[in-house]
Amino acid sequence: MKKIISLVLCIMLMATLLMACSSKDSSNEIPKDEPKQETAKEDSKQEEAKSGEQVTIDWFMETMDDESKANFEKYIINPLAEKLPHIKINYQPTADWNQVLKVQMAAGQGPDFFALDGPTVASEYAASGRILDLTPYVAKYGWDKIIFPWALDSCKIAGTIYSIPNSYEALVLWYNEDMFKENGWEMPKTFGQLEKIAKEGQSKGIIPFAFGTSNFKPANEWFISIALANYAGGDAVKKALLGEAKWTDEPIKGSIAILDKMWKDGWLNDRNAHSISLDDSYALFSQKKTSMKMEGTWLYSTFLEQKPDFKWNVGIFPSLKDGTPQTLPLAIGGVWAVNSDTKYPDECGEIINFMYTTPERYAKHVEEAGAQTLPMDIPANLFTDAMSPIQKSMIQMLSDAQKSGDVGYCMWTFWPPETRNFMIENIEKVFMDKMSIDKYLSGTQEVFDKEKAAGKVPIIP
Amino acid sequence: MNLIASKRGKFTRKRVFPLLLILPAFALHAAIITLPSLSTIYLSLYEWNGIGGGKFIGLDNFIEIFTKDDVIWAAFMNNIKWTAIFLTLPITLGLLVALVVSRLKKGQMVYRTIFFLPYVLSAAIAGRIWTSFYNPYFGFGAVFEKLGLTSLAGVKWLGDPDIALYSVAFVDNWHWWGFVMVLFIAALHQVNPSLYEAARVEGANWLQEFVHITIPGVRPTLVFIFMMTIIWSFLTFDYVWVMTMGGPGQATEIISTWMYKNAFINYRAGYANAICVLQSLICLVVFAATEYIRKKGWDV
């Protein structure tokens, strides 16, 4: 009897499974979701839209601490409510938001409006038809005349704009200004000058660069990007990304070789970077155990919070090769995208437009709360005299790099995902002599070729 | 006639009713556990980025695993090492300490609580605490340096690819062995004390008592822990992810972390599903082997 019942239950189970499978169409594609059954929430949203009353937009984003949340409300939510009273924002800062969002979107659900890590991630959502084509809104609001062309272009996928940059950033050299003065060091501009600072510092027990990766492997891409930009130069990297040059070519190989030398000479946290976390590396810099920290412009707000008890400053990383200018690798800090199933695409467009057309609000957010800069020109008179000179020089640095065109490429914006991960994971093997530089680069080329053939390489401006 | 009556007797309300009662639980389990699990097999046959539509590619993902993916085999070997560590250290330690603690007349609960305490800490917290201990500037390294143990002070617990896996496994062991000990204490309480008394009357020493009474007495628990240790060792993820993310240079990469990276970083969810299928097969083989052993005479 038990066997019969067990058999019946198993048959029921298999039947359910087959029914689930048979609901797929006969093509060899995992079909996109059927139109969803209207939930009570969606019903009410539609009612809102029809009646012309205030509509609620679900806005999904990375988790924030209390201070960031307060700033977000002060500089974005409250002004937005004033300017666009017909839109109510239900913002949802969420831990591990990337993964949560991905699962929600895969299920055909998800918020109306959300932040993504960058154009590369957005391209995966676009390829799956989960995010809206924003090209009509770009034309409607003239965003192409506001947003820096390279930033907007990097969001294009086959000529269509699926996401809009929400900040831009660069890899820069942070340094302990007091320590530099005490030792008679100047901000280095060449590899030779950097080498002098590193060696003199090491002889006094000062580690050149604070760097920790044990809990954040993507940190490796900061040094790879900076080495590529300041040794090979922006053009050589662009050619490799466009497929016009090989990753195994000399300029790229030289970049990895000099990075490897920097590691082996103990410049990157005394070869202990894999033993400590990213937070530990901030602690080492704050405790004056290191003279420099190479990281993104975003570190400004971290220093504002941590308040190191010495003067610190920022500059462009030195050139690593004669003939290659000092180059600032630029990146999109993140993008905004709109759910293709949203009931309110126009309202989402209004939100993005609000962000780009309220420069006074935005300038205050940058000046008072250290927010990341939007990729657009901001009239200097919008910033007050009270603005930190470090922040001013940082914004100027970004602006000058835009104008000069001597810019490099940050991996998290311009690399296809698998190539990026291959380089991040395997550079540690190169450092530890578990992989040769040649094998590292030929492996990079192999993965890149595969992704290029699959159309996964972002637009390279 | 008698045969028919006998068969009808088996379908009595008394027998069918309990089975009907478990049907809702079975249906729920099927809907939220079994079907999603089985969908892994289906999705492993697709090139899928984990977000939208996918493309059927047959067994290509499995072919890639066996012919092109060097990392998965390194990860598999790390899981084997992990399993070997967990089949020996925590079980030996757990059993020996359980033997000592279970014989304590006073303070047994205090020791049990102290040893069990790390188990209630989440991996995220324990992992971060131990990452700090392993920090060469503020952790053990600084302590060893002050003690003049310079060779130990220079050890890169998480930064040396030859020892990083063992450093992480140590932390997981630190959290795990107390739980094993509690299981063994519970098992030891089931062993009939008169067996020990009889053995002592016969002149048996402690080793003979351990081999001939304790081990057979806790054998069901021992087999259960062995089986679960092997399965959990192949499914482990949290401590490695929190402490090293599979580094340095993928020296601590295990199957789960490689699966996660493919699904969420490389956007290759179809491939990650294929890895998941193989991982499940390993666990299934372990389960089948244990069942086989049980049926061959190891009454569990």
Side-chain angles (χ1 to χ4, degrees), chain B residues 70-286:
Chain B
D70 297 334
V71 178
I72 188 79
W73 295 110
F76 178 75
M77 289 314 295
N78 282 339
N79 274 108
I80 294 285
K81 289 177 194 168
W82 192 273
T83 308
I85 293 166
F86 279 80
L87 280 179
T88 49
L89 287 178
I91 293 178
T92 310
L93 190 64
L95 183 55
L96 291 178
V97 175
L99 272 172
V100 175
V101 170
S102 64
R103 289 177 186 187
L104 289 175
K105 301 285 181 214
K106 283 183 180 176
Q108 191 185 117
M109 192 51 72
V110 174
Y111 282 105
R112 279 165 68 166
T113 307
I114 290 170
F115 294 144
F116 185 74
L117 207 57
Y119 187 71
V120 302
L121 284 179
S122 79
I125 293 169
R128 289 305 293 272
I129 291 170
W130 276 91
T131 302
S132 300
F133 288 165
Y134 284 146
N135 184 311
Y137 303 101
F138 315 119
F140 293 146
V143 176
F144 288 137
E145 197 163 346
K146 280 191 178 167
L147 292 174
L149 303 168
T150 46
S151 56
L152 275 176
V155 175
K156 298 171 182 178
W157 301 102
L158 297 179
D160 183 339
D162 295 329
I163 61 168
L165 184 75
Y166 304 105
S167 301
V168 180
F170 175 83
V171 179
D172 200 353
N173 258 316
W174 168 83
H175 136 274
W176 173 243
W177 80 271
F179 174 68
V180 175
M181 179 206 68
V182 169
L183 290 182
F184 278 128
I185 287 176
L188 285 169
H189 282 151
Q190 304 300 316
V191 182
N192 189 346
S194 62
L195 293 174
Y196 289 104
E197 286 164 20
R200 276 175 213 138
V201 169
E202 296 293 329
N205 61 27
W206 69 268
L207 186 63
Q208 286 168 321
E209 280 182 25
F210 180 74
V211 172
H212 297 294
I213 301 173
T214 306
I215 293 290
V218 301
R219 195 170 60 192
T221 305
L222 203 57
V223 173
F224 169 76
I225 293 174
F226 258 76
M227 182 180 76
M228 294 317 292
T229 297
I230 297 172
I231 292 174
W232 284 334
S233 294
F234 275 93
L235 299 177
T236 190
F237 173 81
D238 41 13
Y239 279 91
V240 171
W241 191 254
V242 169
M243 296 181 73
T244 62
M245 289 183 83
Q250 296 185 303
T252 59
E253 200 78 76
I254 49 175
I255 294 176
S256 299
T257 54
W258 187 232
M259 187 169 66
Y260 182 89
K261 285 175 183 175
N262 273 287
F264 292 103
I265 299 174
N266 291 344
Y267 286 89
R268 299 192 68 203
Y271 188 71
N273 273 289
I275 296 174
C276 188
V277 168
L278 290 180
Q279 193 183 29
S280 303
L281 272 179
I282 293 168
C283 296
L284 206 62
V285 167
V286 171

Side-chain angles (χ1 to χ4, degrees), chain A residues 392-414:
Chain A
K392 264 185 191 165
S393 77
M394 202 165 63
I395 292 171
Q396 191 61 47
M397 203 159 59
L398 286 167
S399 173
D400 291 346
Q402 309 268 349
K403 286 169 191 159
S404 72
D406 281 337
V407 291
Y409 298 87
C410 289
M411 286 173 61
W412 61 96
T413 295
F414 299 105

Side-chain angles (χ1 to χ4, degrees), chain A residues 6 30 57 411:
Chain A
S6 302
I30 296 175
I57 301 286
M411 286 173 61

Side-chain angles (χ1 to χ4, degrees), chain A residues 63 90 96 101 131 137 140 162 197 228 304 313 404 411 458:
Chain A
T63 187
N90 172 28
D96 219 3
L101 179 70
I131 55 177
Y137 295 100
K140 179 181 173 184
Y162 283 98
I197 293 170
L228 287 171
L304 279 188
N313 213 328
S404 72
M411 286 173 61

Side-chain angles (χ1 to χ4, degrees), chain A residues 227-253:
Chain A
L228 287 171
N230 286 283
Y231 185 95
D235 286 341
V237 178
K238 183 176 180 176
K239 280 182 184 166
L241 286 167
L242 290 171
E244 293 168 1
K246 295 285 179 194
W247 289 95
T248 47
D249 287 352
E250 182 44 42
I252 307 288
K253 190 176 171 182

Side-chain angles (χ1 to χ4, degrees), chain B residues 1-12:
Chain B
M1 185 66 184
N2 282 343
L3 185 67
I4 292 167
S6 155
K7 280 193 174 176
R8 193 177 290 157
K10 285 185 178 176
F11 287 94
T12 58

